[in-house]
Amino acid sequence: MRTRFLSHGTLKITDVAASRRFYEEVLGLEVVQPMKAALYIRLGGDHTYVCVESKPDRPDMPLLYHNGLDVGSDEEVDEAYRAISAVADEYGVKELNKPVRQHGVYSFYLKDLDGNWWEIGHLPPGGYRFRFADPRNDLTGRTDLTAAEIKDVFVNPRLED
């Protein structure tokens, strides 16, 4: 199979209008509504999420399945955190974690009104390209590292070659 690019993913939403307002006004995403019960969202490229209206009783997304949005600096991460904190109740944000430095990124997580997790962070130029550039990041078939060494590579990646 010769795939060309990662084209889309799917998110659950429970109220098309409220979700659209959150995506546009809080997260700054580009949004279109191609049908009554769905939205398409994207930002800065061709990768699109299809947001499909579901019953409210569907389980929330686990934190590790989050979606990432990049801002221009660590200071902008802090600004975004303050801005979202100020409107969290108005937009139905369910959870909001404080910014921390982890896995090579300064970021924070929030759970939106639909139970979807988002990570707002500042990545180095090229996003997660550094994970592909450093061969230490691919553990396929490797048995020569201890659990502590594996964690150290993940937590303290080489951001530049």
Side-chain angles (χ1 to χ4, degrees), residues 9-33 38-43 49-53 61 67 69 84 91-93 110-118 120:
T10 306
L11 297 172
K12 103 175 160 141
I13 58 175
T14 55
D15 180 325
V16 170
S19 296
R20 181 176 189 149
R21 183 172 173 249
F22 175 77
Y23 293 148
E24 288 179 325
E25 296 176 11
V26 176
L27 299 183
L29 303 177
E30 183 180 355
V31 181
V32 296
Q33 184 178 355
L39 300 172
Y40 288 174
I41 61 174
R42 70 178 184 178
L43 178 67
Y49 283 101
V50 181
C51 305
V52 181
E53 196 169 52
M61 173 187 283
N67 307 283
L69 295 171
I84 292 172
Y91 287 89
V93 173
L110 70 94
K111 187 192 288 187
D112 71 18
L113 66 162
D114 298 307
N116 299 310
W117 281 100
W118 297 87
I120 312 299

Side-chain angles (χ1 to χ4, degrees), residues 82-135:
R82 285 190 295 273
I84 292 172
S85 294
V87 298
D89 290 339
E90 177 184 350
Y91 287 89
V93 173
K94 293 181 175 182
E95 292 186 48
L96 182 62
N97 300 331
K98 292 183 178 178
V100 295
R101 186 162 308 284
Q102 59 187 355
H103 60 274
V105 176
Y106 183 64
S107 65
F108 68 92
Y109 295 95
L110 70 94
K111 187 192 288 187
D112 71 18
L113 66 162
D114 298 307
N116 299 310
W117 281 100
W118 297 87
E119 180 180 16
I120 312 299
H122 174 234
L123 287 100
Y128 280 110
R129 183 182 321 153
F130 68 90
R131 292 286 181 193
F132 293 86
D134 183 352

